[in-house]
Amino acid sequence: MIRTASVCLALSLACLFTPPASAATLTTVAPAGFESANGGFLADSPFGSSTANSGGRRLQQIFEASLFASFGGPRLITEIQFRAASPENQFRPNSISTTDSTISLSTTSVTSDPGATSAGAFSASFADNIGSDVQVVHSGALTLDRGGSNATGAQPFVYGFALETPFVYDPSMGNLLLDVVVPAGATLSFGAGFGAVESFDASVASGDGVASVRGTGGTAVGAAGQTGLITQFVTESVAIPEPGSVLLCLSAVALLGVARLRR
């Protein structure tokens, strides 16, 4: 009986850890339409600015779920990438860095609509905007290296980083919140001039589905509707066992159970 139970356990574990089908990579730019077009605005990056390269700052940015319609279900976010603004401002440093940072992702009911007055509006308290599934995707020093630049037109998404812990995001569950904290005492390099969009209106929902707030400590400065960074997300399909493997495992476990009952 013990041996049979051990075999059942082994087969059950094999079902759980059956190698999944290869993960399909998908690259999504939010908001859409700016894959190869300038957003028309320039914004300080979360990791520095031209006037105050010290810590004690925070950025929260909302991406409406509608921006991820191509997902077709939950996907695993593995990389986040930003880009320099248009060539005219000549912002293309070789690297941007901070000696300390905490970057989190979560699914939230908060909306990017700057005119929202309901419970779903962006709160002046950062903590109120964070979803219950919040996950730290990076912690510690961070350097964003430039991998290239264009002489004219929109810049490539080269200021990026791979998530230390990938985040599963399902657009059907709510909007996506990016939360970047650079604590007081951290040192930052020059980091102004990221490509951004600003098409918000006080009475109607944002046409681009992106909104952000900045501030220090636990309190935001301003309201949703400030300039939002154009962001590229690299994702993979959520790995699941092949259907045939699952059926095979379940059948084997069931047969062992029948054999045990006959004994």
Side-chain angles (χ1 to χ4, degrees):
M1 182 179 296
I2 294 177
R3 182 176 180 277
T4 302
S6 298
V7 173
C8 286
L9 175 60
L11 283 172
S12 299
L13 291 174
C15 289
L16 291 175
F17 295 102
T18 298
S22 57
T25 300
L26 176 68
T27 300
T28 302
V29 173
F34 295 97
E35 292 81 358
S36 57
N38 284 316
F41 286 83
L42 175 152
D44 285 353
S45 82
F47 312 106
S49 73
S50 58
T51 57
N53 290 327
S54 59
R57 63 182 64 197
R58 188 169 187 175
L59 164 74
Q60 283 191 338
Q61 184 159 318
I62 292 286
F63 300 88
E64 291 286 332
S66 59
L67 300 177
F68 303 95
S70 61
F71 276 23
R75 291 190 66 86
L76 196 66
I77 299 175
T78 59
E79 294 182 41
I80 296 176
Q81 302 163 344
F82 306 105
R83 70 182 182 194
S86 59
E88 287 74 17
N89 62 65
Q90 299 301 309
F91 166 72
R92 291 190 292 279
N94 288 329
S95 65
I96 298 167
S97 64
T98 175
T99 57
D100 194 12
S101 62
T102 300
I103 304 174
S104 303
L105 292 175
S106 65
T107 308
T108 180
S109 59
V110 173
T111 177
S112 70
D113 180 0
T117 57
S118 64
F122 232 139
S123 172
S125 174
F126 285 125
D128 294 341
N129 302 321
I130 300 173
S132 59
D133 63 346
V134 60
Q135 178 176 298
V136 174
V137 298
H138 173 83
S139 179
L142 180 66
T143 297
L144 309 181
D145 290 319
R146 189 188 81 191
S149 63
N150 298 329
T152 60
Q155 294 300 301
F157 291 91
V158 291
Y159 296 105
F161 64 98
L163 276 57
E164 294 172 356
T165 306
F167 178 76
V168 176
Y169 173 57
D170 185 351
S172 69
M173 301 302 291
N175 301 324
L176 181 67
L177 175 69
L178 170 66
D179 191 354
V180 180
V181 179
V182 178
T187 301
L188 305 96
S189 66
F190 176 79
F194 272 32
V197 289
E198 187 174 280
S199 59
F200 309 107
D201 187 276
S203 60
V204 297
S206 164
D208 52 44
V210 176
S212 64
V213 292
R214 295 171 172 81
T216 58
T219 305
V221 174
Q226 296 184 22
T227 306
L229 302 177
I230 301 172
T231 308
Q232 180 167 276
F233 296 90
V234 178
T235 65
E236 295 180 357
S237 54
V238 177
I240 57 175
E242 294 284 359
S245 299
V246 173
L247 290 175
L248 180 62
C249 287
L250 292 177
S251 299
V253 172
L255 288 173
L256 281 172
V258 171
R260 181 181 176 186
L261 288 174
R262 288 180 176 177
R263 288 187 177 184

